[in-house]
Amino acid sequence: MIAAERLAGIRSRMAAASKVASRPPAATTLIAVSKTHPADAIEPLIAASQRHFGENRVQEAAAKWPALRAATPDLTLHLIGQLQSNKAAEAVALFDAIHTVDRLSLITALAKAMDSQAGKRPWMLLQVNIGNESQKGGCALADLPALLAEARNHSLDVRGLMAIPPADLDPAPFFALLAKLATDLGLPERSMGMSADFEAAIQLGSTMVRIGSALFGDRSPLKPSDALAV
Ligand SMILES: *Cc1c(COP(=O)(O)O)cnc(C)c1O
């Protein structure tokens, strides 16, 4: 299937999930997660009027996106992967939105980077470690109100929360929890839902779904048959 057909399929599934939840389709933005995919895989989606894209690595985005953006100025580029403080300046220069703010040291690095780059002010989401998993990024639930206060003290434009539920559990209770946390904090945006679970996320109040493999195909260069041969 070609990329534009996959895109149309995702858009109609998003619309159907919105309808079930009595939410307007425009309440949820589709972020096409283009990590690992080259520019020539991205261009057909831009041609099909997709405008929001997500990348998880600063270096990879720096190599791919300046040329794509020059050709299509109204793109919105989201950083959805973990951000090291020493890459904060580069992230501020490159991205329109950063979904993975999860600690005070990163908040101070981002604030400093924005002070030194006039006109570059990406908006932010706080990432929550919603399943309390030791290997995952995101702040602990209990630390969220204090982290939001710190982000605001540093003049960050925080618009919502982001989370990745545990891989092996039903994501629905985690989506519901993230939506409740956002509501309680008065934050409008909830970045939740990926290829395998975006419909549930939309029904539970997602405002941004991050979809990679269902749009671009599998990221793994290894097919099962290759793996056997290794
Ligand atoms: C890769 C990635 C996605 C997209 O995952 P798919 O399952 O391919 O849709 C979404 N969010 C984050 C944070 C990612 O790293």
Side-chain angles (χ1 to χ4, degrees):
M1 210 193 308
I2 62 166
E5 286 172 7
R6 285 189 174 132
L7 180 62
I10 296 291
R11 283 180 177 155
S12 70
R13 286 171 62 190
M14 287 178 65
S18 301
K19 197 170 173 195
V20 168
S22 301
R23 300 183 63 212
T28 312
T29 298
L30 169 58
I31 300 175
V33 176
S34 49
K35 64 188 185 194
T36 76
H37 297 288
D40 61 5
I42 297 169
E43 278 157 355
L45 292 185
I46 297 175
S49 78
Q50 176 62 27
R51 287 295 178 270
H52 289 259
F53 289 87
E55 290 281 344
N56 69 335
R57 305 183 70 172
V58 174
Q59 240 54 56
E60 183 186 340
K64 277 190 328 208
W65 283 93
L68 290 164
R69 273 181 179 294
T72 311
D74 65 335
L75 297 177
T76 300
L77 193 57
H78 301 252
L79 178 62
I80 61 168
Q82 290 307 299
L83 178 57
Q84 293 168 269
S85 297
N86 64 7
K87 299 222 174 80
E90 208 176 346
V92 162
L94 202 56
F95 289 93
D96 303 295
I98 298 176
H99 291 221
T100 49
V101 179
D102 63 356
R103 59 196 187 277
L104 180 56
S105 59
L106 181 56
I107 287 171
T108 56
L110 288 165
K112 196 173 151 213
M114 287 189 282
D115 279 348
S116 59
Q117 299 181 54
K120 297 284 188 185
R121 297 203 67 80
W123 50 267
M124 313 274 169
L125 302 178
L126 301 183
Q127 185 180 355
V128 185
N129 188 346
I130 199 85
N132 194 24
E133 297 172 282
S134 57
Q135 79 281 13
K136 276 231 177 100
C139 80
L141 266 76
D143 298 340
L144 191 55
L147 195 71
L148 178 60
E150 287 290 0
R152 291 195 167 138
N153 284 342
H154 288 81
S155 302
L156 265 53
D157 179 9
V158 179
R159 299 191 183 173
L161 304 180
M162 177 272 213
I164 308 167
D168 45 351
L169 297 176
D170 176 5
F174 298 97
F175 293 151
L177 176 58
L178 192 78
K180 182 183 185 314
L181 290 168
T183 300
D184 290 351
L185 292 167
L187 294 168
E189 302 288 353
R190 302 99 184 247
S191 169
M192 58 187 202
M194 317 198 327
S195 290
D197 54 22
F198 67 89
E199 285 143 317
I202 289 171
Q203 285 165 20
L204 290 163
S206 174
T207 63
M208 288 175 230
V209 291
R210 310 176 306 267
I211 299 185
S213 47
L215 274 176
F216 289 96
D218 203 343
R219 282 182 298 275
S220 168
L222 284 180
K223 297 187 284 295
S225 54
D226 298 327
L228 286 175
V230 170

